[in-house]
Amino acid sequence: MTDGAPRDETATWPAGARLADDECVAARCAACALAWRVHRSMAGFRVRCHCGEWVAVPAPADLRALPGSPAALAQERASALAAPDDDEAAFLAAAPRPRELAGVRGWDGRPLRPDADGKWSLRHAEVETRVKWSNRTVLSLVAIMACFWIPALVVQVVSDGADEALYLPIVSVASSLLVLVVAHAGREYATEGLRGASPRYFVEAVLVACAACALALGFTKVVEDAFPGWNNELPAMRAELGLPMLLLVFSFCPGVFEELAFRGLLQGRLHVLMGRIQGILVVGAAFGMAHGITIGLPFHIGLGIWFAFLRDRSGSLVPGMVAHMLYNAGIVIARSS
């Protein structure tokens, strides 16, 4: 070891090789001050010095490193840090950063920026941030599912079976109130879609809702013919509660609050974490599961995927809410008559 003063001798890598100036990169050991001439293929890596310490081999400015190599990452980081931030305001104006991503930084240490399509994701975020976001998203999913499952389970426990159908309005209202509590924790995603959309999405919402309603009624008829003991509680509920109350608890409440929960909060976080298509598929599956493990599960999953796809394309929750309410209203009116 020395006091850090430069030494006269020079080491080479590979050992003993004779390297021309354009074939090597100059480096120096910080511990013993030994000079090194290292082949350019080691740029961005490290070599072991004779004193036992590691020597970092710099990447020369004219080196074109392999994509993904340490040298390439070092060059990208240096370019990003040296690049002017004049376009930062333009980026944020085109795609405002979600509040929950305000403090997130990318792998290069800079504040996270939107992707090329203007969407925000965690693909280039720090690993620790992705882990925290994953945990938060899973908790949101569990909480949303609990909003729909827990009230239904409570009714099954306290009712004697015969009166269970009369408790369904209470279940619907209770689930809606619980969704508001959960959505408040992620209100930015839950409410960002409460804006207008192009008229063509509302036309699509009405047409698909009517077609889905007709398909569901036909499927229900087939099931009832196959299982004669199938019980339809809606006529008794309509006689007991009236049609306006049925539409309130089975059309309006689910149409608004389920969209806030699944296509608002959950889809917003899943899109950032997993990407567009993966987020849509997970939201559709969760939506179907929230309606129970029944014979209609595949239909509910398919409908949930379409709702999520409509939300993604329209940029708004409102067309999905309209479609959801129309679909449920059609089922209630037809099945309670």
Side-chain angles (χ1 to χ4, degrees), residues 89-312:
F91 268 103
L92 296 180
R97 180 186 287 113
R99 178 181 56 84
E100 296 185 1
L101 296 180
V104 176
R105 310 191 77 82
W107 64 269
D108 58 357
R110 301 184 70 199
L112 190 67
R113 295 167 67 87
D115 296 333
D117 60 359
K119 302 291 186 179
W120 290 90
S121 75
L122 296 179
R123 288 184 296 176
H124 306 297
E126 298 171 316
V127 174
E128 292 183 0
T129 299
R130 291 183 59 85
V131 171
K132 292 179 181 179
W133 197 274
S134 298
N135 295 337
R136 186 181 302 174
T137 303
V138 170
L139 288 176
S140 296
L141 174 59
V142 172
I144 289 172
M145 300 299 286
C147 290
F148 298 97
W149 282 353
I150 289 180
L153 291 175
V154 170
V155 166
Q156 289 185 357
V157 171
V158 302
S159 65
D160 59 2
D163 297 331
E164 182 176 336
L166 297 179
Y167 285 96
L168 291 179
I170 300 177
V171 171
S172 180
V173 173
S175 296
S176 301
L177 293 177
L178 290 175
V179 163
L180 285 179
V181 175
V182 174
H184 180 73
R187 55 191 175 276
E188 183 177 18
Y189 288 112
T191 60
E192 70 171 352
L194 295 177
R195 53 175 176 261
S198 172
R200 63 191 177 97
Y201 294 115
F202 289 97
V203 174
E204 177 185 345
V206 173
L207 294 178
V208 174
C210 293
C213 181
L215 183 62
L217 291 173
F219 177 76
T220 303
K221 183 67 168 62
V222 172
V223 172
E224 289 180 338
D225 292 341
F227 302 95
W230 191 277
N231 186 26
N232 178 18
E233 301 93 350
L234 284 176
M237 295 176 62
R238 180 170 180 173
E240 188 75 21
L241 302 174
L243 182 59
M245 179 60 70
L246 283 187
L247 293 177
L248 173 66
V249 298
F250 290 131
S251 176
F252 177 80
C253 288
V256 172
F257 297 106
E258 288 182 12
E259 293 305 306
L260 286 176
F262 289 100
R263 263 65 65 174
L265 172 61
L266 189 57
Q267 185 171 343
R269 283 186 169 165
L270 285 172
H271 190 144
V272 172
L273 179 65
M274 304 176 65
R276 175 174 176 261
I277 299 300
Q278 295 89 335
I280 287 174
L281 294 177
V282 173
V283 167
F287 178 77
M289 296 287 288
H291 288 76
I293 312 300
T294 65
I295 195 173
L297 178 61
F299 185 80
H300 288 144
I301 291 177
L303 199 58
I305 290 175
W306 175 73
F307 280 137
F309 189 48
L310 179 63
R311 163 69 177 95
D312 179 80

Side-chain angles (χ1 to χ4, degrees), residues 1-50:
M1 301 290 287
T2 70
D3 58 1
R7 296 166 56 178
D8 294 335
E9 65 267 32
T10 301
T12 59
W13 187 96
R18 295 185 177 182
L19 302 174
D21 290 342
D22 59 352
E23 294 180 306
C24 66
V25 179
R28 186 175 295 277
C29 178
C32 67
L34 177 63
W36 279 84
R37 288 167 60 86
V38 183
H39 193 273
R40 291 168 66 93
S41 62
M42 286 294 291
F45 292 86
R46 298 185 301 172
V47 296
R48 178 80 77 173
C49 185
H50 297 164

